[in-house]
Amino acid sequence: MTATTEGGPALLFARTKVNRNDQRIFVAKLVALAMLTSAGAVLALRPEPPLIVLGVVILAAAYTHAVELQHQCLHHSAFRGSWPHRLTGVPLGIPLFVVYSHYRLRHLQHHRHLGTPQDTEFFGFDTRTPLTVSHLVRGLFDYRRLGTVLWEVALAATGRWTYGFGPVSPTMRRRIVVDHLVMGGAVLVALCVTVAGYGEYPLRLWVLPLLLAVPMHFLVELPEHILCDTESTDVLRNTRSIRGSRLSTWFTNGNNLHIEHHAAMSVPINRLPLRHEETRLHAVHVERTYLDFYRTLWAALRRREGKA
C-alpha cells in the first residue's frame, strides 16, 4: 500500500528521520525506566511482604516496558546514529530474556512478510492459528520461551547456534551469538550470587518479576494482529491500532499505535500519535481503549466456542 492515491493516508506512510528532539525524548524514557526500576528494586528488597509484592509488580512492569523500548531500538528509530541502538537495546532485553540481535532479525522479517506464510514474529503466540481459550492461556504463560533462550545460549557458547528462518549474514550471526553470550553471562552472575548465599536478591529482583512480566508482556503484544486479516498484506487490514490513553501509550511505548508503526516502521515512536487520525479514517481495526479490544476478543471467543 502506498501513500500516493488522492484522499489516501499520505501522512501515515510518510517516512522521516530521527532528529535531536526525538533522541532527547527517548533518552528521557530511559531515565524514567531507570527511576521506575530503582523504585521497584527498593520496594522488592524491603522486609514487609506487601511492599515486596508491590516492588515485584513494579519491576515486572518495568521489564515489560523495557522490551517495548528495545523494540524501538530494533528499528533504529531512537537515536540519530546507528551504534547506540544495539548498545542500549541489549541490556533492555535481558530482564525478560529477549536477545536483541536475534529479536531484530526476526522482527524485521515479520515486518517484511506480514500477511504471508513467511511471517516470523519473534514471540511464540501465532495469531494465524485457531482462536481458543487454551491457545490464549498457553501464550499468556509461555515460560517455555525462557527455556528456549537458555538452550540457545548454550548453543551459542558451544559454537552450534544456527538460525532457523532463512539465511543470515556472518556479521549478523556473530552479533546474535555475542548477544546470547551476554544473556548467558547475566544468568551466570545471578547463579553465582545465589550459590554465594544471596539468592534472595536474584529471586526478588529478577525471577519473581520475570514470572509476572511474561503474561504482562503477552497482554501488551496480543492486540497487534489477532482477529485481523492475517492473509492480507495491507497494513490497514492486517494490523490493529488502539488510541489508548497517555499512560497506555507511554507504557507500551506506542505499541498501541501498531498500524502507524507498520506503515512506516522507522518513524520515531513519539511521532506516531500525529498519524492516528488518518488511521482512524482508513483502517479496519481501530479500537478506542485496551478494554474495548479485550471486550471484542471475549465476544469473539464466545462466538467461536458456541460454534464448536
Side-chain angles (χ1 to χ4, degrees), residues 144-179:
R144 183 176 59 178
R145 183 186 66 83
L146 308 180
T148 300
V149 173
L150 291 176
W151 173 243
E152 293 194 339
V153 167
L155 293 177
T158 55
R160 295 180 294 150
W161 185 88
T162 58
Y163 186 60
F165 299 93
V168 56
S169 70
T171 299
M172 179 55 74
R173 185 184 185 280
R174 283 194 299 271
R175 289 177 180 174
I176 293 173
V177 167
V178 169
D179 290 359

Side-chain angles (χ1 to χ4, degrees), residues 16-27 29 72 77-79 249 253-255 257 266-275:
T16 186
K17 294 182 179 180
V18 180
N19 61 32
R20 285 189 175 87
N21 186 57
D22 300 324
Q23 183 170 276
R24 282 195 293 266
I25 290 173
F26 188 79
V27 171
K29 291 178 181 179
Q72 187 169 350
S77 62
F79 301 100
T249 301
N253 193 35
N255 195 59
L257 304 176
S266 63
V267 173
I269 298 296
N270 54 283
R271 300 201 204 180
L272 296 184
L274 298 175
R275 304 177 178 219

